[in-house]
Amino acid sequence: MAGERDIQVLLRDMRPQLRPGIFVFCTIPLDERIPAEVNPLLTFREQEGTTLVISREDAERAGLRYAFVSRLITLAAHSALDAVGFLAAITARLAEAGISVNAVSAFHHDHLLVLVDRADEAMAVLRDLSKVQRS
């Protein structure tokens, strides 16, 4: 099934879902293996090192320093990888509310990592944005 490209449809049908768990960002040197006790939600290699987004429990168990203690919000709409403006509209609305967000696009869905203490507020903002599109 091809992903949706129409921004109005995506915003209307985004159905944000707050996922269980608390996630953190860590970095390890490029030449270092990911610790065996770590099950990354996301890995990304940059020239400075490998970024890991992992559960806080995994980070603490592995003794990794971490930043950006966050909750994961999955947008259930199946967005096309080349959809234009969907994340821009969402991140702009969250920015208006003063909510920092780290967005990740995967094959089927877009995902937002927001600070733990702002997750409920972010969910309310996203639900309101989706409601506006339905009316």
Side-chain angles (χ1 to χ4, degrees):
M1 176 172 114
E4 181 63 55
R5 287 183 180 83
D6 185 311
I7 188 171
Q8 301 307 318
V9 172
L10 287 167
L11 290 170
R12 182 191 70 212
D13 296 343
M14 72 171 121
R15 300 181 320 280
Q17 301 168 350
L18 187 60
R19 310 306 278 195
I22 296 176
F23 297 91
V24 296
F25 285 69
C26 303
T27 186
I28 60 173
L30 287 173
D31 60 351
E32 189 174 306
R33 289 186 173 269
I34 297 171
E37 63 269 31
V38 169
N39 183 24
L41 174 68
L42 171 75
T43 60
F44 197 93
R45 294 175 57 87
E46 301 178 279
Q47 66 185 19
E48 299 88 353
T50 301
T51 296
L52 305 172
V53 177
I54 59 178
S55 72
R56 181 170 57 186
E57 293 81 14
D58 279 1
E60 290 174 350
R61 187 172 29 257
L64 295 173
R65 285 183 290 147
Y66 58 82
F68 203 78
V69 179
S70 55
R71 295 290 308 272
L72 176 66
I73 299 171
T74 294
L75 305 176
H78 181 187
S79 58
L81 289 168
D82 60 350
V84 176
F86 181 45
L87 284 177
I90 288 167
T91 57
R93 187 63 61 92
L94 290 170
E96 287 172 15
I99 299 172
S100 176
V101 60
N102 285 284
V104 177
S105 295
F107 192 86
H108 296 284
H109 304 286
D110 295 291
H111 308 273
L112 310 173
L113 289 143
V114 298
L115 289 169
V116 166
D117 62 346
R118 303 296 300 273
D120 290 334
E121 187 180 353
M123 286 292 293
V125 168
L126 295 170
R127 286 186 193 115
D128 287 347
L129 179 57
S130 185
K131 275 188 225 172
V132 167
Q133 299 305 313
R134 285 189 222 123
S135 40

